[in-house]
Amino acid sequence: MRTILNGLLILTILSAGFGRATAQQSPRWNLNDNGGIEWKVEANDSHMDHIEMSGFYVSSIVHYGVTNGLLTQKVHLVFPMLRTIPNDTHASLAHEIDSKSLGQIKINGQGLEEKPDHFYIDGLLGYHSKTPGGIEIKHVLFPSTDDAVFLDKIEISNSGAQAVSVEIPKVEYSHITNADKGVYGAYKISVRSTKSGQFQLKPNESLNYALVYTGRKAGFEEIYISPEYELNKREKLIKETFADLHFESPDKVLNQTFAFAKLRAVESIFHTKGGLLHAPGGGRYYAAIWANDQAEYANPFFPFLGNLAGNESAMNSFRHFARYINDDFKPIPSSIIAEGTDYWNGAGDRGDMAMIAYGAGRFALACGNKTEARELWPLIEWCLEYSRRKINSDGVVSSDSDELEGRFPAGKANLNTSSLYYDALKSAVLLGKELNIDANQLNEYANQAERLEVAIENYFGSKLDGFETYRYYKENDVLRAWICTPLTVDIFDRSEGTIDALFSDKLWTDDGLASASGSTTFWDRATLYALRGVFAAGETKKAMPFLSYYSNRRLLGEHVPYPVEAYPEGNQRHLSAESALYCRIITEGVFGIRPTGFSEFKLTPQLPEDWNSMSLKNIKAFNQDFDIEVNRKRSKLAVKVSNSEKVFVESLIENGESISVKL
C-alpha cells in the first residue's frame, strides 16, 4: 500500500451545508523532503502520466511511467519559433520521440531493461532504477531555459562488489522535415548522446552523460551544449521562482501546489520575433496570446511574483492587442498568433474587450509603474468604450460568445462578460486617479459600474434548481460553472445561493466543477475562479475542504502536478495560465489582495479556522518587495505588512475584515 501523506487515507469533503460528500482515492504521489513530490513504484505496476516543461525556445511534454514495471517514455517536443505552413495558431514544429528508438544501454553485454523504483518532480522530472546486480541509473529530464534544447541527463553507478562493462549506444537520431512545409524551409530535429562506447565501472564508480534533443533550421550547424550548465540554469529558475512570492501555511500540500503553479505559470514564455509572449502550451498553443489566458488569467498575477520575463510578456501582450485599436470600434481579435504576425478571431467577439480591460487595469495597478500604466491607458479606455457600446437595452454587455467559444451556449449576453466589464470599470477609476485622468470621465466610469451592477442582478439573477443564483444567459435553464464570476469581482448579492450551487452535486464532480449541470465536461479554469470567489465572499469554512481536495488531486493524484485545462477535450493538458489562476486563489482569495493604487491595496485575510498563521513573503508588487504575515491572536488576527526596512501596517483585525495598506 502506498505511503499516505500525514496519514491521509481518504480525503472526504463533509456535507456540512454542501449537500454531499466527495471521496478521494489514496494518492499515488507523496511530498518528499526536497520540496518536490515522489511516486514510489510498486512491483509490476502500470501507470502513465504526462507533464509539460518549457523554456524560451522549446516546450516538452514528457509521457512517462511504467508498463508492468518496465519504463515507458516518450518525449513530445515543440519548437514554437520553427514555424510550419500554414502559419496559424497550431503551426509550431512538433515531433515525438520514443526512448526505445534511441538504443539500449548494455551491462556486461546484456541489454538493460529499466525498472524504475521511483519518479520525482521538483521542477525537473527524474527517475531512478536499480538492477539486482547493483547497477543504478538516474535520469533527470528538463528543457533548456533559453535554447531550443531538451535534455535527459543520465548517471550510471556501480554499487555492486564487482567491476562491470557498460556500453552506451551511439545515438545519432535525426528527422528532417519537408522544406515546403516550413516557413523557414526544412528543419532538423536530432538527438545525440554526449558519450558512447564501452566503459569499465569499478565498484562505487559512476558514469555521466546526456541525451541532447535539439531543433533547428536545416543547414545550421549543431552547437555545443553543456548538460551541466543547462541544468544549473533550470535549477536557478526553479529556485528563484519558489523563493519569490513564497506561500507558507500549515498545509504542506497547498504550499507545494502553489510553488509548482508559480513555475508552470512563468516557464511557458517564448522568445518570439514579436517579443516575449506568454502562451498556454499544451502541444498546440505557442508563440501566441489570448484575451482570456494571458490578459485575463495570467497577466494580473505576474506583478506579485515579480518575474521579469512574466511582467515583460504581460506588457508585450497588451501592446499587441493595442495594435488593433480602431476608430470604427471593430473588435480586437481574440488571439494574436504566429509570433505576433497574424491574428485569430474565429469565435467572433467573446467578450474579449472586457477581458483585456479587466486584466490591463489590474496589471497596471499591481505593477505600480506610471510610465507603463500611461502606455496601457489608451487600450483600457478603448476597450471600456467598446464594451459600453455593446450594452443592450437591459443594461448588460452583449457578445457573440464567451471564452468557451460555443462549446456551451452563451446567449446574446453572458454573465462572464458583464462581470469582467464591471471589474474593469472599477479598476479604471482607481488607475485613472493615479494618472490624473479627468474626474468627469472617471465619475462616468463609476456611474456605469453602479448601473451595471444593478443590471447584472436584474438580468442574470435567477432561481435555478432551487438555488438563488444566476442564469448564465437569458434563456439558460441549467446551472453553469461560471455563475462564480460575480464573486471574484466583489458582487456578493447572491453569494449564499451561488456557493451552495457550486458545491452541490449539480455541479461539483471528482474533478471540480462540471461546465454545466448534467455534463461530464470540466474546465479547471472555472473551478479555480470559483474557489477564489468563495474565499473572497468570506466563506472560508466552505471553501477550504474543496481547495484541499482539489490541490491533493492535482498535486498527488493520477495526473500531476499542475492544474489542467479540460477533459475530455485536450486530455487534461497542463496549460500554463490555469496555474496562474491557482496562485490567484491564494493571493486574491485567501489573502484578499485587491490593488487600489500604484502603492496601495486592500487586504482582506481569510485565515482558515484550523490554521494559526499564514504568510506571503517576497511579494514583488507595487514597486516594493514585502511580506504579509497573518497570525491568530485569540479571536482576532494580527496582520503585519513589512519588509527589512519598514513596517507598513501592523494591525489587529477580525477574520475577513478589510484594511487598506499603503506602501
Side-chain angles (χ1 to χ4, degrees):
M1 181 178 290
R2 302 184 188 103
T3 301
I4 308 304
L5 176 66
N6 295 330
L8 179 64
L9 180 60
I10 296 178
L11 174 65
T12 302
I13 299 176
L14 299 176
S15 58
F18 306 127
R20 70 191 187 104
T22 300
Q24 176 156 295
Q25 63 184 340
S26 302
R28 180 174 293 275
W29 294 74
N30 291 282
L31 298 181
N32 63 27
D33 296 330
N34 301 315
I37 60 173
E38 180 177 80
W39 161 30
K40 293 183 178 179
V41 181
E42 297 177 353
N44 300 315
D45 198 1
S46 293
H47 173 68
M48 290 297 297
D49 200 1
H50 57 89
I51 181 174
E52 183 158 11
M53 300 179 285
S54 308
F56 279 158
Y57 292 95
V58 66
S59 200
S60 57
I61 301 174
V62 183
H63 299 262
Y64 66 94
V66 289
T67 304
N68 297 321
L70 294 177
L71 174 68
T72 302
Q73 177 189 297
K74 294 180 181 179
V75 180
H76 183 87
L77 295 172
V78 182
F79 300 97
M81 272 54 74
L82 299 180
R83 309 299 298 169
T84 59
I85 296 173
N87 192 5
D88 58 16
T89 299
H90 311 299
S92 300
L93 178 65
H95 188 70
E96 187 165 283
I97 302 169
D98 191 325
S99 63
K100 292 178 181 178
S101 68
L102 303 179
Q104 190 177 35
I105 299 168
K106 292 182 178 180
I107 305 296
N108 292 331
Q110 297 294 315
L112 176 66
E113 291 189 323
E114 294 190 55
K115 295 183 177 181
D117 53 43
H118 74 273
F119 290 81
Y120 70 87
I121 298 172
D122 58 3
L124 312 164
L125 172 64
Y127 56 90
H128 172 273
S129 303
K130 187 172 183 178
T131 70
I135 298 301
E136 297 184 45
I137 303 180
K138 297 178 182 178
H139 291 256
V140 180
L141 292 85
F142 59 96
S144 168
T145 58
D146 53 12
D147 247 318
V149 174
F150 177 83
L151 296 105
D152 180 354
K153 197 169 180 294
I154 304 165
E155 179 182 81
I156 304 174
S157 301
N158 182 6
S159 60
Q162 303 294 324
V164 297
S165 171
V166 178
E167 182 180 341
I168 299 174
K170 186 175 184 179
V171 178
E172 292 183 331
Y173 177 98
S174 68
H175 173 77
I176 299 177
T177 64
N178 189 327
D180 294 337
K181 299 294 185 180
V183 171
Y184 307 112
Y187 304 127
K188 183 177 182 179
I189 298 168
S190 63
V191 187
R192 63 177 178 82
S193 55
T194 57
K195 287 180 182 176
S196 62
Q198 295 272 358
F199 300 87
Q200 291 294 313
L201 271 189
K202 296 177 182 179
N204 300 318
E205 283 188 341
S206 297
L207 177 64
N208 292 277
Y209 73 104
L211 297 176
V212 181
Y213 299 67
T214 59
R216 61 190 183 280
K217 298 172 186 175
F220 280 60
E221 291 186 8
E222 192 165 344
I223 62 173
Y224 170 73
I225 298 296
S226 166
E228 195 64 32
Y229 176 57
E230 295 298 335
L231 177 60
N232 289 339
K233 288 189 293 182
R234 176 72 180 181
E235 288 180 330
K236 182 175 183 289
L237 171 66
I238 296 165
K239 183 178 179 180
E240 290 176 350
T241 303
F242 283 8
D244 290 334
L245 192 65
H246 182 66
F247 173 49
E248 291 183 5
S249 80
D251 191 322
K252 293 182 179 180
V253 172
L254 264 61
N255 298 346
Q256 196 58 56
T257 309
F258 183 81
F260 277 11
K262 288 187 296 178
L263 178 63
R264 182 69 195 126
V266 300
E267 70 174 354
S268 191
I269 296 171
F270 301 94
H271 212 312
T272 77
K273 66 167 60 175
L276 291 178
L277 294 181
H278 184 268
R284 292 175 62 81
Y285 307 109
Y286 301 92
I289 54 171
W290 278 258
N292 53 331
D293 292 74
Q294 280 64 56
E296 179 191 342
Y297 303 166
N299 291 357
F301 167 69
F302 284 137
F304 293 90
L305 183 60
N307 178 274
L308 291 177
N311 283 338
E312 174 60 20
S313 74
M315 275 299 298
N316 208 35
S317 71
F318 292 127
R319 291 178 183 124
H320 279 291
F321 285 124
R323 290 164 42 207
Y324 292 88
I325 289 176
N326 59 86
D327 293 337
D328 296 327
F329 283 93
K330 295 179 180 179
I332 292 172
S334 303
S335 177
I336 313 300
I337 65 170
E339 299 185 84
T341 64
D342 204 349
Y343 66 86
W344 176 86
N345 63 352
D349 172 17
R350 311 174 308 160
D352 299 285
M353 274 44 69
M355 299 175 192
I356 293 168
Y358 165 93
R362 283 183 173 249
F363 171 82
L365 287 166
C367 272
N369 185 311
K370 183 171 284 190
T371 300
E372 291 184 347
R374 287 195 183 281
E375 183 181 352
L376 293 177
W377 182 256
L379 173 64
I380 294 170
E381 195 174 38
W382 189 92
C383 287
L384 292 177
E385 176 59 17
Y386 175 94
S387 297
R388 186 192 68 79
R389 294 180 180 214
K390 299 292 286 186
I391 290 176
N392 65 18
S393 59
D394 293 299
V396 296
V397 186
S398 59
S399 61
D400 298 323
S401 63
D402 67 356
E403 55 91 37
L404 286 180
E405 298 168 1
R407 294 172 177 88
F408 286 81
K412 295 181 179 179
N414 65 77
L415 179 62
N416 223 34
T417 298
S418 288
S419 298
L420 294 175
Y421 176 47
Y422 169 81
D423 192 87
L425 288 166
K426 303 284 278 189
S427 289
V429 173
L430 298 167
L431 183 61
K433 290 177 181 177
E434 294 282 11
L435 297 176
N436 297 316
I437 302 299
D438 181 74
N440 291 328
Q441 181 177 348
L442 301 184
N443 287 337
E444 179 53 31
Y445 287 160
N447 291 335
Q448 287 175 27
E450 289 181 7
R451 293 194 295 269
L452 182 57
E453 184 175 10
V454 173
I456 287 172
E457 169 60 27
N458 292 338
Y459 188 84
F460 297 107
S462 181
K463 188 170 185 176
L464 286 179
D465 277 334
F467 300 100
E468 290 292 346
T469 181
Y470 300 97
R471 55 185 181 183
Y472 188 57
Y473 57 96
K474 188 174 184 179
E475 299 81 14
N476 178 218
D477 59 0
V478 297
L479 290 170
R480 292 285 294 272
W482 285 114
I483 58 174
C484 63
T485 310
L487 303 178
T488 67
V489 300
D490 296 344
I491 297 177
F492 302 126
D493 299 336
R494 292 176 172 265
S495 61
E496 182 178 356
T498 298
I499 293 168
D500 287 347
L502 292 169
F503 292 155
S504 74
D505 58 4
K506 302 290 185 181
L507 284 176
W508 189 266
T509 74
D510 288 345
D511 271 297
L513 291 177
S515 294
S517 178
S519 172
T520 57
T521 299
F522 69 86
W523 291 69
D524 263 20
R525 58 192 66 175
T527 299
L528 298 163
Y529 254 77
L531 290 169
R532 171 159 53 102
V534 178
F535 278 108
E539 294 290 353
T540 305
K541 187 174 181 179
K542 290 184 178 181
M544 271 306 299
F546 290 90
L547 175 60
S548 181
Y549 171 86
Y550 172 88
S551 301
N552 273 271
R553 187 172 180 87
R554 289 289 176 264
L555 183 68
L556 303 176
E558 295 297 285
H559 179 39
V560 302
Y562 306 122
V564 303
E565 179 201 24
Y567 187 83
E569 180 177 327
N571 193 27
Q572 300 190 65
R573 293 179 283 220
H574 283 149
L575 299 198
S576 62
E578 275 77 356
S579 283
L581 286 178
Y582 182 90
C583 294
R584 291 176 66 185
I585 296 171
I586 305 301
T587 57
E588 298 174 27
V590 177
F591 283 85
I593 301 173
R594 175 43 158 123
T596 55
F598 287 153
S599 59
E600 298 179 54
F601 61 93
K602 182 177 73 172
L603 178 64
T604 312
Q606 306 281 357
L607 186 68
E609 63 180 10
D610 56 347
W611 293 7
N612 287 321
S613 65
M614 63 182 185
S615 65
L616 278 175
K617 296 183 177 179
N618 297 325
I619 306 168
K620 305 294 186 180
F622 309 105
N623 271 317
Q624 286 282 358
D625 188 333
F626 64 99
D627 304 335
I628 299 174
E629 299 171 76
V630 180
N631 291 281
R632 193 176 302 283
K633 192 169 183 180
R634 293 184 290 276
S635 62
K636 295 193 175 185
L637 303 184
V639 178
K640 183 179 179 181
V641 182
S642 65
N643 59 23
S644 59
E645 299 176 353
K646 185 177 180 181
V647 175
F648 301 105
V649 167
E650 197 162 17
S651 183
L652 195 64
I653 65 172
E654 300 289 341
N655 198 11
E657 181 182 344
S658 297
I659 57 174
S660 180
V661 179
K662 185 174 179 62
L663 302 177

